[in-house]
């Protein structure tokens, strides 16, 4: 590499300086103005390997702190982040283009998770005695969860604090060191978190950040970490998984969604409409578990649609902190949103608010589509923009069938008067998470695991399952006294085998 070159995170166009060179820095851009916020290095394989080597040493120190020590450090970290939350939210807002209030909400949620992980790791992961059963009654059995070592975290841009911190907080609390590759659209947020950790523990690089484009993420998957926590799109998850397969590196994959909302005849319609508008259009629809499809029972369909239309028509997207939502953060997503609207209309759907013309250069005005066939891309694929499909259904059974009709399975919401029926519908929805009478209710409860099935990925962050995701169970037995039966012996007495056969019949054969 002889000459320095540059690429932009926002459109990932690499400006190469020659056949053998590639970009060494990239720019983080403000989606509202296109201004360069800052430049960051593109970490190559050697730089990523060095970070992982440093993390491996730091991981030994971190592990030695024990649950109590880590809890203290993490609560210090939490305090430092919380004291400077305004600065972090301001940076999130600049790098993503989302209004400041939305950015602040995200920071608040991330802090709640960090707090929970710090305070609950010991309870969930510490060594405990477990029953050894009648057949092994002479053994004392102990189960504990050990740290994996170094976890590589690869993050997206849409919630650049909340989402990666869902892995980072739980993996740290479980005793691992982290090398974090933030999205190329939000590198500043990643660096901010690293600097905040360094402000409290400058000599212990337990949380390091490597910046770069997809290649840097790929380098992290090849760097010999003990687990990859990936959040992003399904297609990228497949590439990450293929690389992880080469070295049997375990992977947790948090991918996209096509979440449905179901509205029952006895629902509080005003409330459902309010949540629907927020779930579908908040953050410009760039939410993995946002509302992308709504199935409304026919008796309340028109009322729901009229009220949703009214609220959405009042929305004012734009580039200020007072805007309802901001510009699209990732420019290439704009073409996907447009193609979904066009496909919905071409396949027989109707636009009751907006249409293909709502897609501007960077800002997309809200779009409500109705009567869209379930085969349309607008129903089957993640749109990730400020559009929503509202379809009429005969009854709740049809709503569940349609909600379960895509290859995704992240979250869903149900609006219903009868809460018991709401729980029953939640059971029948084929996904990882359901909120009854709210949207995204599960995302703010740290003790609930977060994740999906199918195209939405596998594994869990948050909660006890999230802590265990970043640990390995360790099973230990200690003999209390010699067994009266010598079954595990090359010279097994026949009498002991006969006695065991009688015991087996008595215990399990009746
Ligand atoms: P993306 O898949 O384009 O990129 C995600 C990350 O992977 C980025 O940091 C990127 O640099 C990196 N990357 C790209 N190529 C790579 C490779 N070959 N190897 C390793 N890393 C590579 O996704 P995005 O556009 O940043 O994020 C949007 C997607 O994330 C949406 O589908 C959204 O639904 C999903 N998401 C899911 C959750 C969840 O918790 N389930 C949360 C937020 C976002």
């Amino acid at each position: 590499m002889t000459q320095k070159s540059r690429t932009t995170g926002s459109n990932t166009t690499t400006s190469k300086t020659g056949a053998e060179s590639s970009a060494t820095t990239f720019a983080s851009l403000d989606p509202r103005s296109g201004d360069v916020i800052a430049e960051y290095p593109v970490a190559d394989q050697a730089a990523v390997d060095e970070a992982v080597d440093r993390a491996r040493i730091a991981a030994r120190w971190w592990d030695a702190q024990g649950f109590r020590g880590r809890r203290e450090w993490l609560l210090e970290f939490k305090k430092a982040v919380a004291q400077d939350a305004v600065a972090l939210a301001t940076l999130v807002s600049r790098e993503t283009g989302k209004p400041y209030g939305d950015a602040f909400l995200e920071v608040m949620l991330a802090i709640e998770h960090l707090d929970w992980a710090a305070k609950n790791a010991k309870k969930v992961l510490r060594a405990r005695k477990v029953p050894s059963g009648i057949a092994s009654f002479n053994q004392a059995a102990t189960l504990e969860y050990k740290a994996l070592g170094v976890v590589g975290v690869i993050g997206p841009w849409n919630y650049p604090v909340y989402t990666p911190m869902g892995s980072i907080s739980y993996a740290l609390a479980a005793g691992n060191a982290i090398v974090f590759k933030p999205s190329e659209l939000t590198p500043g947020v990643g660096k901010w978190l690293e600097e905040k950790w360094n402000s409290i523990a400058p000599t212990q690089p337990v949380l390091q950040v490597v910046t770069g484009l997809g290649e840097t993420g790929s380098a992290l998957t090849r760097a010999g970490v003990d687990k990859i926590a990936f959040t992003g799109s399904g297609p990228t998850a497949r590439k990450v998984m293929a690389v992880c397969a080469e070295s049997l590196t375990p992977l947790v994959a948090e991918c996209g969604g096509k979440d449905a909302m179901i509205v029952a005849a006895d629902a509080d319609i005003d409330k459902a409409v309010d949540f629907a508008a927020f779930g579908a259009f908040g953050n410009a629809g760039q939410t993995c578990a946002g509302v992308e499809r709504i199935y409304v029972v026919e008796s309340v369909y028109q009322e729901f649609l009229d009220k949703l239309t009214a609220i959405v028509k009042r929305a004012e997207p734009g580039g200020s902190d007072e805007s309802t939502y901001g510009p699209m953060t990732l420019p290439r997503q704009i073409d996907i949103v447009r193609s979904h609207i066009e496909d919905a209309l071409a396949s027989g759907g109707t636009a009751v608010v907006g249409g293909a013309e709502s897609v501007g250069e960077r800002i997309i005005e809200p779009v409500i589509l109705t009567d869209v066939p379930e085969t349309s891309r607008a129903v089957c694929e993640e749109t990730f923009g400020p559009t929503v499909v509202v379809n009429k259904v005969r009854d709740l059974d049809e709503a569940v069938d349609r909600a379960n009709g895509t290859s995704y399975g992240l979250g869903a919401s149900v609006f219903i008067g009868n809460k018991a029926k709401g729980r029953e519908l939640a059971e029948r929805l084929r996904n990882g998470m359901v909120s009854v009478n709210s949207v995204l209710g599960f995302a703010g409860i740290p003790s609930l695991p977060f994740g999906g099935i199918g195209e939405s990925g596998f594994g869990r962050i948050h909660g006890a399952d999230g802590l265990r995701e970043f640990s390995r169970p360790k099973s230990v037995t200690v003999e209390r006294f010699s067994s009266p039966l010598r079954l595990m012996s090359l010279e097994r007495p026949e009498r002991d085998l006969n006695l065991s056969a009688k015991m087996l019949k008595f215990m399990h054969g009746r």
Side-chain angles (χ1 to χ4, degrees):
M1 182 89 52
T2 49
Q3 204 181 336
K4 192 173 166 188
S5 59
R6 196 179 98 184
T7 183
T8 57
S10 282
N11 57 22
T12 65
T13 307
T14 308
S15 54
K16 295 194 172 175
T17 53
E20 286 173 25
S21 68
S22 60
T24 55
T25 65
F26 69 106
S28 147
L29 306 181
D30 183 333
R32 290 184 268 218
S33 61
D35 293 347
V36 172
I37 300 171
E39 299 248 354
Y40 294 90
V42 172
D44 60 9
Q45 187 70 59
V48 172
D49 289 347
E50 280 168 24
V52 171
D53 287 347
R54 282 193 297 274
R56 210 161 277 296
I57 295 165
R60 288 203 281 274
W61 169 78
W62 189 234
D63 194 38
Q65 301 306 300
F67 288 114
R68 189 177 297 185
R70 286 195 295 272
R71 175 190 161 118
E72 297 310 315
W73 280 108
L74 290 175
L75 292 179
E76 271 301 303
F77 181 42
K78 178 196 78 169
K79 199 160 91 186
V81 174
Q83 281 173 351
D84 218 1
V86 171
L88 179 56
T90 303
L91 182 55
V92 170
S93 173
R94 274 202 91 190
E95 285 199 319
T96 62
K98 67 176 78 174
Y100 172 82
D102 288 356
F104 194 79
L105 189 64
E106 165 181 357
V107 171
M108 266 168 56
L109 281 178
I111 289 171
E112 286 296 323
H113 280 279
L114 178 56
D115 183 65
W116 193 92
K119 290 178 178 164
N120 286 277
K122 183 175 178 187
K123 193 166 83 192
V124 175
L125 304 175
R126 73 183 145 77
R128 77 211 50 214
K129 290 208 167 71
V130 294
S132 37
I134 293 177
S136 300
F137 69 103
N138 65 317
Q139 306 274 3
T142 313
L143 166 64
E144 71 176 304
Y145 291 88
K146 311 280 280 181
L148 298 171
V150 179
V151 172
V153 175
I154 300 175
W157 46 264
N158 60 335
Y159 290 91
V161 178
Y162 170 76
T163 294
M165 284 301 284
S167 298
I168 292 170
S169 300
Y170 291 81
L172 281 173
N176 304 283
I178 308 295
V179 178
F180 170 35
K181 205 302 267 177
S183 166
E184 48 272 44
L185 303 191
T186 53
V189 172
K191 280 312 250 184
W192 192 98
L193 291 168
E194 180 190 51
E195 280 159 20
K196 201 47 83 182
W197 171 264
N198 288 341
S199 73
I200 64 161
T203 59
Q204 299 297 345
V206 161
L207 171 56
Q208 292 177 83
V209 169
V210 287
T211 52
L213 315 186
E215 289 74 17
T216 302
S218 182
L220 186 55
T221 61
R222 293 173 205 278
V225 296
D226 299 292
K227 186 155 194 166
I228 290 285
F230 170 81
T231 309
S233 63
T236 309
R238 285 174 171 80
K239 290 186 201 161
V240 170
M241 197 168 173
V243 175
C244 286
E246 290 170 20
S247 54
L248 284 186
T249 302
L251 167 70
V252 46
E254 300 289 349
C255 305
K258 190 74 192 174
D259 288 10
M261 171 189 277
I262 293 176
V263 182
D266 63 344
D268 176 339
I269 298 299
D270 290 329
K271 186 172 169 177
V273 163
D274 199 30
F275 273 113
F278 174 77
F281 299 96
N283 203 28
Q286 304 166 120
T287 302
C288 56
V291 176
E292 297 221 352
R293 306 174 284 153
I294 308 180
Y295 297 110
V296 188
V297 166
E298 56 191 357
S299 58
V300 289
Y301 176 78
Q302 202 54 51
E303 181 191 354
F304 178 91
L305 187 61
D306 290 346
K307 287 181 168 170
L308 183 65
T309 301
I311 204 171
V312 166
K313 279 188 170 164
R314 293 198 292 273
E316 288 181 8
S320 85
D321 282 341
E322 286 68 46
S323 304
T324 313
Y325 59 80
M328 299 295 285
T329 310
L330 177 67
R332 68 168 183 270
Q333 195 68 29
I334 294 169
D335 291 337
I336 296 174
V337 177
R338 185 188 295 107
S339 71
H340 283 198
I341 298 168
E342 286 170 353
D343 193 63
L345 299 178
S347 55
T350 305
V352 293
V353 175
E357 70 283 0
S358 305
V359 181
E361 207 174 300
R362 201 67 193 240
I363 297 209
I364 302 181
E365 299 287 335
V367 178
I368 299 180
L369 300 159
T370 61
D371 302 320
V372 183
E374 298 293 307
T375 48
S376 162
R377 291 181 64 204
V379 177
C380 304
E381 296 172 22
E382 184 180 49
T383 307
F384 227 51
T387 72
V388 71
V389 170
V390 186
N391 277 347
K392 191 191 298 177
V393 288
R394 230 177 18 255
D395 54 25
L396 292 173
D397 289 337
E398 187 185 356
V400 170
D401 283 349
R402 291 209 201 186
N404 286 342
T406 74
S407 54
Y408 296 92
L410 193 57
S413 53
V414 177
F415 283 81
I416 192 161
N418 179 343
K419 289 185 189 153
K421 181 73 181 165
R423 280 185 187 278
E424 184 210 313
L425 296 177
E427 294 299 322
R428 288 166 56 194
L429 286 164
R430 196 192 61 88
N431 60 15
M433 305 162 298
V434 180
S435 288
V436 177
N437 292 338
S438 72
V439 295
L440 291 158
F442 42 76
I445 300 178
S447 51
L448 279 179
F450 187 103
I453 61 171
E455 189 65 27
S456 297
F458 50 83
R460 292 294 181 266
I461 55 173
H462 303 174
D465 291 274
L467 287 165
R468 291 193 197 102
E469 188 73 54
F470 298 107
S471 317
R472 64 186 159 86
K474 180 84 184 257
S475 304
V476 176
T477 63
V478 177
E479 192 186 61
R480 287 193 188 111
F481 53 86
S482 297
S483 169
L485 300 179
R486 277 178 63 218
L487 295 175
M488 294 167 84
S489 164
L490 292 181
E491 295 168 353
R492 183 186 302 121
E494 204 179 328
R495 176 190 144 271
D496 288 8
L497 191 61
N498 291 340
L499 246 169
S500 303
K502 282 185 186 143
M503 272 173 61
L504 180 83
K505 207 165 172 187
F506 176 74
M507 284 162 54
H508 300 294
R510 295 184 293 151

